[in-house]
Amino acid sequence: MKEIAIQVRNFSHYYGSHQSLKNLNFDVYRHEILGIIGPAKSGKSTFLACLNRLNDLLPGSRVEGQILVDGQDIYGPEVDVVALRRKIGMVFATPVPLPMSIYENVVYGVRLLGKNNRKELDQIVEDSLEKAGLWNEVKDRLQTSALKLSGGQQQRLCIARILALKPEYILLDEPTSGLDPISTMKIEDSLRMLKKDYTIILVTNNTKQAARVADRTAFFLMGELVEIDDTRVIFTRPSDKRTEGYLEGKFG
Amino acid sequence: MLLSPKTEQKIVQAFLYFFTSIAVLVLLFILVVILKNGLPQLSLEFLTKNPADMGREGGILSTIVATIFLTFIALLVATPLGVGTAIYLTEYTIESRLTRIIRFGAECLAGIPSIIFGLFGFILFVNKLKFGWSILSGGLTLAFMVLPTIIRTSEEAIKSVPQAYRLVSFSLGSTRWQAITRVVLPSAVPGIVTGIILSIGRSIGETAAVIFTAGSALRMPSSLFSSSRTMAVHFYILAKEGVSMPKAYGTAAVLVIAILIINIMTYYLMEKYIKRKS
Amino acid sequence: MTKLDKNDRLIRISLLVVAFSAVSVLAVITIFIFEQGTPIMFKYGLKSFLFGQDWYPSEKSFGLLPMIVGSLMVTFGALIIGVPLGLASAIFLTEFSHRRLTRFLKPVIELLAGIPSVVYGFIGLMFLVPFIRENFGGPGLSVLAASIILGIMILPTVISIAIDSIRAVPDSYREGSIALGATKWQTVRMVVLPAARSGIVAGIILGMGRAIGETMAVIMVAGNAADIPGSILQPVRTLTSNIALEMGYASGEHREALFATGVILFIIIMILNTIANLTSARQKKR
Ligand SMILES: Nc1ncnc2c1ncn2[C@@H]1O[C@H](COP(=O)(O)OP(=O)(O)OP(=O)(O)O)[C@@H](O)[C@H]1O
Ligand SMILES: [Mg+2]
């Protein structure tokens, strides 16, 4: 039996009076890649932001219901948001390397914890870049600016930056939307490798990508979860007409 | 008599051209006169000897030192206050009545004439707090005077740091303060430095606010509490009281060159970092 | 509450305190100037201060009218000289000159804004004052000299703000007007300038504030006699000069009267500031 890692219970989200997520109920299993697909503005990014509470930073943002991560309600009063965000790493659509060296980008989150031991950091940098599939390309120029990397390399650096924190979950919001096919493939390869150690939620507007890498796929439409099932099922015989319509390209 | 639009345009254009030439030439004239009469006065001796005989003889070393000390104190005080204010306004609050009050205060402060700062510094620092005419009194007065400049430039610099950097920092588990000190401020440094340099320029050239707070003693300043004469005050006294025109020109040249260098640096920094970002 | 939350609150509160520095400084300055300056105004009567024509501090006669009139005269004079020159330059540099020339001249003009006011005063004293004395008569140290020097001093401010607000007018306005067959000048006069108006006005008010608050340059060229000048060729004393000239040796009621001068100056400046703020706020809103 699969172990449940995240439970979403009657969860809604509002921007002011606009309801962006409507009463979501589903589970995420440990060590799976859950793909989330859906047309623009369907609330995919909002859902990810709710998971590591980046939505706290947006004015007017409000939630109802619960999200339990490892059994703990992440909107409960005792939650340490900073620790939560370390546990749940987030990769954004456009790669955003911080304006510092490759090395410093990777250890940024680790240094926040006060760890500054050079040897330890060196090891973390190597491990994380290795796992993100970037080590061989950058090992000779770790001290150069991260802004000089190509888009695909930057995105893998962003993944490495999260891995350095030894998170349990990785959220990716359309991580390959700005990348060429080869870079996209490299990132998808990394994700398949990472699956054995992490639970991954991949938002993508490219349904084929979900078909390629996701174990299960959820379809969001206008803030609602239309259906969630094994990827193969979603793509071959979806139970909802709207899913079928979307996959056939009816929602653009 | 009615002119055809074309003729009218020609005439207007000629007028505009003429007026612009006057404006630019007058401004350049000032620069040229100071440099032409001042540069011949400059020598190593002029820069490294203290004034003698009320400034008739010798150089201007003590006034250079006093200017540097005063400016240093002013920025030592104004920079943390100004940058702190900017951080609060941009990172720790949303637009509200409170921020409007703070901004309005800074804008009003920017409009207060320097002689009022001088009066205020005189009564508060020199008299009430008993610092006397001193580097300290003058420096603090200047600090208040340049505070709005530092606030404004820092705020702009901090605002121009991409929002995504903050999000990334938070998503990696930073507190707000960590995001500010590790990512936002380092990226905003060039803009903040621009404001600081601009303030240095203003402090160096200021006379009215300084003459009643730092005093006009010609000795080499020996402590925070020494009364001392800055270059600008020295120049003013030399010129106004007709002590020595050659020395006045020399001092003015040093002053103007210093300020030009500073302003060119500012301009360069702005071009390089701030404008390009937006 | 976790430790980090507590730290964050501490930082937030400290920064709030720091953020009030500018407002507090403004408040403290206001309080000090008023505390020092108002008692004597009420003691001798507001009217005698504002409308008294005799300034003989040793005889307890503190009429500030000559200085108020003086400040207004030189400020007005500065505007008469600085605004047309400044506006013309701004219009020329934005609409009629080569792009390259503008790119070179705008920074040059802004650099000149940094030249200390004593230097402007000095140049006035060395060149302008003798010129006026020899060609127009009088002592040379005069309303005219002060107005010209102040007019030149506000040029960089007026030019650079006017350029910015003229540039802020969208090109589509110009294209629309040109398409209707207007000449460039007609376009500037009827479309561009009206659209840039409040920015230009704010620039002028800022220049005005600079002129009325200027001290050292004015002292050097204005002659500083505490009488209402009969003509623009006669000496004049401004509110700022009045303070700066006598502060060094004044004591007792004399000193208080100088603070009273500061109070009046302060009020005038605040009124100007508020107007400038309102105008630029209106510009931003549109
Ligand atoms: N910061 C915000 N403030 C207010 N409303 C927002 C904000 N961000 C998103 N929304 C709204 O919330 C809804 C969901 O947006 P969200 O960005 O989560 O969709 P998405 O599925 O990620 O879309 P996309 O494919 O375009 O990234 C939309 O209606 C959007 O307009
Ligand atoms: Mg999105």
Side-chain angles (χ1 to χ4, degrees), chain A residues 15-16 18-21 38-47 58-59 173-174 203 205:
Chain A
Y15 287 111
H18 172 73
Q19 186 171 14
S20 44
L21 293 176
K41 312 257 169 241
S42 53
K44 309 179 298 286
S45 302
T46 304
F47 177 65
L58 299 173
D173 191 354
E174 303 181 8
V203 164
N205 53 4

Side-chain angles (χ1 to χ4, degrees), chain A residues 5 13 23 40 42 45 63-64 67 83 97 127 145 167 171 178 187 217 227 237 245 248:
Chain A
H13 177 271
N23 200 34
S42 53
S45 302
V63 303
E64 273 168 16
I67 296 181
D127 290 350
S145 166
L171 314 178
I187 288 189
T217 298
E227 67 174 303
R237 40 194 160 77
E248 283 167 7

Side-chain angles (χ1 to χ4, degrees), chain B residues 15-88:
Chain B
F15 261 103
L16 290 177
Y17 188 77
F18 178 66
F19 274 27
T20 310
S21 312
I22 293 183
V24 172
L25 288 180
V26 164
L27 290 170
L28 287 180
F29 171 78
I30 293 174
L31 206 60
V32 170
V33 167
I34 294 292
L35 294 181
K36 182 169 155 276
N37 293 293
L39 286 179
Q41 303 299 323
L42 299 192
S43 62
L44 198 60
E45 209 187 305
F46 189 70
L47 295 174
T48 55
K49 280 222 160 109
N50 284 334
D53 190 14
M54 302 304 289
R56 249 171 235 111
E57 300 295 326
I60 54 168
L61 180 64
S62 67
T63 69
I64 295 179
V65 173
T67 307
I68 293 175
F69 279 3
L70 224 64
T71 306
F72 181 74
I73 294 193
L75 286 147
L76 200 66
V77 175
T79 305
L81 290 179
V83 176
T85 305
I87 293 176
Y88 183 79

Side-chain angles (χ1 to χ4, degrees), chain C residues 2-211:
Chain C
T2 65
K3 194 169 149 244
L4 282 173
D5 287 340
K6 258 189 217 150
N7 279 346
D8 196 55
R9 253 186 58 175
L10 201 69
I11 291 169
R12 179 188 300 271
I13 291 169
S14 327
L15 283 174
L16 177 60
V17 172
V18 168
F20 263 92
S21 57
V23 183
S24 327
V25 169
L26 183 69
V28 172
I29 290 181
T30 316
I31 292 168
F32 267 98
I33 303 287
F34 277 75
E35 183 209 50
Q36 298 283 321
T38 40
I40 188 166
M41 290 171 95
F42 290 114
K43 183 171 168 200
Y44 288 92
L46 217 49
K47 209 173 132 205
S48 79
F49 260 90
L50 291 177
F51 301 110
Q53 300 208 15
D54 302 311
W55 175 264
Y56 298 119
S58 52
E59 288 154 37
K60 308 259 175 253
S61 169
F62 300 115
L64 281 176
L65 189 64
M67 278 63 95
I68 295 174
V69 172
S71 276
L72 295 180
M73 279 177 92
V74 298
T75 304
F76 187 63
L79 291 180
I80 289 182
I81 290 164
V83 171
L85 274 181
L87 271 187
S89 307
I91 295 172
F92 180 76
L93 289 175
T94 44
E95 304 286 331
F96 291 96
S97 87
H98 253 283
R99 216 159 241 276
R100 266 218 228 110
L101 186 66
T102 312
R103 264 228 301 278
F104 170 71
L105 280 182
K106 186 171 186 249
V108 168
I109 290 169
E110 280 168 3
L111 285 187
L112 293 168
I115 293 183
S117 49
V118 270
V119 172
Y120 282 97
F122 178 62
I123 296 288
L125 185 65
M126 299 300 284
F127 296 90
L128 185 60
V129 169
F131 179 84
I132 292 177
R133 186 170 52 228
E134 281 151 27
N135 292 286
F136 304 114
L141 298 160
S142 58
V143 177
L144 183 61
S147 302
I148 293 176
I149 287 299
L150 286 174
I152 295 171
M153 286 179 70
I154 66 172
L155 266 181
T157 313
V158 175
I159 294 178
S160 109
I161 295 183
I163 286 184
D164 289 343
S165 37
I166 292 175
R167 279 205 184 140
V169 176
D171 271 337
S172 56
Y173 285 29
R174 297 182 181 84
E175 284 152 14
S177 164
I178 300 272
L180 290 174
T183 63
K184 205 156 188 184
W185 166 242
Q186 287 171 325
T187 305
V188 169
R189 186 164 49 98
M190 297 191 290
V191 179
V192 178
L193 289 184
R197 194 182 55 209
S198 46
I200 293 175
V201 170
I204 293 174
I205 295 175
L206 228 70
M208 202 166 153
R210 190 160 177 208

